[in-house]
Amino acid sequence: MELELTPAQKNILEMVRWLALEKLRPLGLECDKKGEPLPPDHPFFKEAKAMGIKMALGGDVGKRRKELTSKEGPSEMARLGILAAEEIAYGDVGVAISLPGAGLGGPPVLIMGTPEQQERFFGMLEGDEPKWGAYALTEPGAGSDVARIKTTCRKEGNYYVLNGTKIFITNGARATWSVVFATIDPSLGREGHRVFVVEKGTPGFYVGKIEKKMGLKASETAELVFDECKVPVENLLGGEERYKEKAGFKAAMETFNLTRPAVAAMGIGIARAAYEYTRDYFKENYMLSRPIPLYHSIKETLNTMKRLLDTARLLCWKAAYMIDYKLPNAKEASMAKAYAPPVCLWVTSKCVDLLGAEGTLEYHHLVEKCYRDIKVFDIFEGTGQAQRIVISRRLFAQFE
Amino acid sequence: MAIDFSLSEDEKMLWETANEFAQKEIVPNIRVIEEKGISAELRKKATEIGLLGIEFPESLGGAGLGMFQRALVTEAISSGDPGAAYSLFIHLPYSYFLLELGNDEMKEKYLKPVITGTKKACLLRSEFLPDEVITPIKWMKTDGNYKLSGRGIIEVDNPDFVLIPAKCENKVGFFLLDGLKDVEVGKTLHRCGVESSPAIEILLKDVEVKKEMCLTEDALSHENLWRAVVRTRLFISSLLLGLAKTAQEYSLKYAMERVAFEQPIAKHQAISFMLADDATQVEAIRLILWKALYEFDKNSGAEDKSVKSSVIDWSIEAYLQAVDYSSAISADAVQILGGHGYIKDHPVEKWMRDVRELANAFGRPEAFRIALENL
């Protein structure tokens, strides 16, 4: 057992934190005021790509792919990814999840894709221009309950024809390709699932509306429409052989095991930003002629914030450690995702409380923005309720 | 890569040994131990497999391991029954203060026999708050020796040694009593939980203590005091972790068996979410406690003030998480068992009582909620 960062990791995080504060935070605040996503042609993205900064969840896809598939010893990528995820979200989470890269689309391609597909799809994202991947699972009638998706696919010659609508897709409009979950027959449930990589410009593939959101305004959330969309057979992830078992559903779930801890860590980054701002504000300001932290209730609240965030972070670390050691982590990933967001919600709302009426003003814009940004963390990547269902099912499994 | 939660083979074996002991010797006898305390025979068995002195130097009869290994053992025993674990390890707070504040001669004479199980000892009930030690006993100096007076509580019946924190103005001294011959023993109090340890009143009327039985006159300025306090706090936190774990597992098992409205109650969402939260909170306590233990084992020798205060902060965070979540989980367990939770055929009502005693043994959570130094 060893629970601290190495000097090398600390150095990396210092750099990420600098970037988060100097670049991401101002851009995020600007987008938040405008209420518009950061456009794909914004010079920052090109700059970020030139600096080798990619979407935190994907990490270094090439390296990660090798490590995930190698039989040798534990990897480091999930743990590094999670550390970076918190740090980058500490700057601005909307901009963080808009960083070029495969994003949430990376893990399913890594888990399911044939070597040829991995080469082809990750290759498309290379080059100087910023490029994105996306992950399209949610539909108007199916979110956490993945088995209920209604987007259909039918095979015609060398193509699959897709029909349906996907919603709330991060980077969906700008993505070079999207990983799309569809079903050959909704009545088959999970076994009917097929996973495709749909490239931008495929006939019958349209981008619908871009959502206006409560928080995370720098990030683009798009609706994707498939109307007799013809996807070549070569873009069926893993090839047809793979679907003789419940591979499609399994891919969705395995993706979550990788991404849930990272998403939880991002929430911690946001809440930490609000907490540190509030703490420092109080250290520098006096009320009723004594320093505010000397008021018992306020001090206790600040203490509790730190304690809960420290605990939540360790739950994320544990889930990431299990990924790197190739241990089954569905329960632990859900525990991190079930625990961290409510804690972060409490922290940010208390920060607004502590700043009083001022906390809701633009003067304290950061805290007020964190309060809006954090809410969705208890919703996306599986709601808090969905996590509790996963956890309790794993608990029951030991009796069955 | 330095974020690593895995146990070594030795640590796994240690845990298994302790767990086997708990399941075999404690679980079947929870109510007997509650009523009669830890028997001499049980203590002997625990001593033989080395459970009493995990974290003490080999020269004192211990195993020379760290607080992390101690916590693994404590959690395993406490998962059998937290009250029994508290009583079995009642010598630990005593031993920590003696280890950190005593000189070599004292350790040889008063610590070694306790760790090796030949003598019984305990620390007088007292509270170790941030910057403060609360003790009901006063000390004064007379002709180079000391006199102690006051009324306090001990938790061992007829102990061979008692360690007594006592106050003189702002100074807190630590004094050893060799048996209770100079002390008036009062009544045994009825307590809320941890009934396996008696709460015995003792009255000290100008009890004379020889100079060589004084560990220190001024513990608050002793450079090692914080280590004894943190060790005690980590020990209590691991007891609470074991309590939370066993309450969570017991209620889960019950909920899988008990049927209501045509299905096991565990499958009703109101209960299943409770079970999921309880399991998550057990994991939460364990991880932050492990972090605190790791920090202590790595930095307990630190001279640097900021390192020291960070170790203290981690122990406080772990302690408060353990207090809050074990309280909630033990109450949940009673709730999940419903009417059965309320009666003594099941142990959950006991754990709900035990948690209050453990949470307030040698400290008080309220005092620590504002105590972090490094926000």
Side-chain angles (χ1 to χ4, degrees), chain B residues 175-193:
Chain B
F175 306 90
L176 266 170
L177 284 190
D178 193 349
L180 296 180
K181 54 190 181 303
D182 303 327
V183 172
E184 194 178 308
V185 179
K187 60 181 180 210
T188 302
L189 307 175
H190 291 287
R191 54 197 305 184
C192 159

Side-chain angles (χ1 to χ4, degrees), chain B residues 2 14 20 45 52 64 76 83 89 120 122 153 166 178 184 211 216 235 256 261 272 287 300 303 313 339 349 372:
Chain B
L14 189 63
E20 198 190 316
K45 279 185 192 165
L52 298 193
F89 296 135
K120 293 191 293 183
C122 70
I153 304 279
D178 193 349
E184 194 178 308
K211 199 170 73 181
T216 167
F235 161 63
M256 291 300 287
F261 304 104
S272 73
L287 298 185
S300 63
E303 300 285 324
D313 275 4
E349 61 81 29
L372 296 192

Side-chain angles (χ1 to χ4, degrees), chain A residues 1-6 9 75-76 79-80 82-83 275 279 283 293 295-297 299-304 306-308 310-311 313-319 321 324-325 331-332 334-336 338-339 343 384-389 391-392 395-400, chain B residues 1-8 11 68 248-249 252-254 256-257 266-267 269 272-273 275-277 279-281 283-295 297-299 313-314 316-318 320-322 324-325 366 368-375:
Chain A
M1 199 238 341
E2 218 180 304
L3 295 176
E4 67 178 346
L5 306 187
T6 61
Q9 287 165 342
S75 153
E76 283 194 3
R79 282 171 289 176
L80 266 181
I82 215 160
L83 294 171
Y275 157 72
R279 176 198 67 190
K283 278 186 179 166
Y295 287 88
H296 187 123
S297 146
K299 195 168 184 209
E300 176 171 339
T301 307
L302 291 170
N303 273 233
T304 310
K306 176 167 188 297
R307 164 158 64 92
L308 295 178
D310 282 344
T311 308
R313 182 176 301 115
L314 284 158
L315 284 165
C316 296
W317 284 11
K318 170 85 184 279
Y321 145 84
D324 282 342
Y325 275 71
K331 185 174 83 185
E332 286 74 12
S334 280
M335 280 180 168
Y339 184 87
V343 158
Q385 291 86 345
Q387 309 304 335
R388 284 166 178 81
I389 292 174
I391 297 166
S392 57
L395 293 175
F396 302 159
Q398 55 183 293
F399 295 89
E400 279 150 9
Chain B
M1 180 75 185
I3 296 174
D4 184 352
F5 293 87
S6 37
L7 298 183
S8 70
E11 286 161 350
F68 177 63
Q248 179 259 324
E249 286 175 352
L252 170 64
K253 187 165 174 285
Y254 180 87
M256 291 300 287
E257 287 161 5
K267 303 285 170 82
Q269 218 157 45
S272 73
F273 279 25
L275 294 167
D277 284 337
T280 305
Q281 288 175 359
E283 182 80 350
I285 304 175
R286 181 176 297 120
L287 298 185
I288 195 150
L289 177 59
W290 281 18
K291 172 70 177 166
L293 292 159
Y294 173 76
E295 291 289 327
D297 284 341
K298 181 156 174 284
N299 296 317
D313 275 4
W314 279 110
I316 292 173
E317 291 196 357
L320 290 177
Q321 289 297 63
D324 286 359
Y325 291 157
E366 290 67 35
F368 290 98
R369 293 193 191 279
I370 56 163
L372 296 192
E373 285 186 26
N374 308 294
L375 280 178

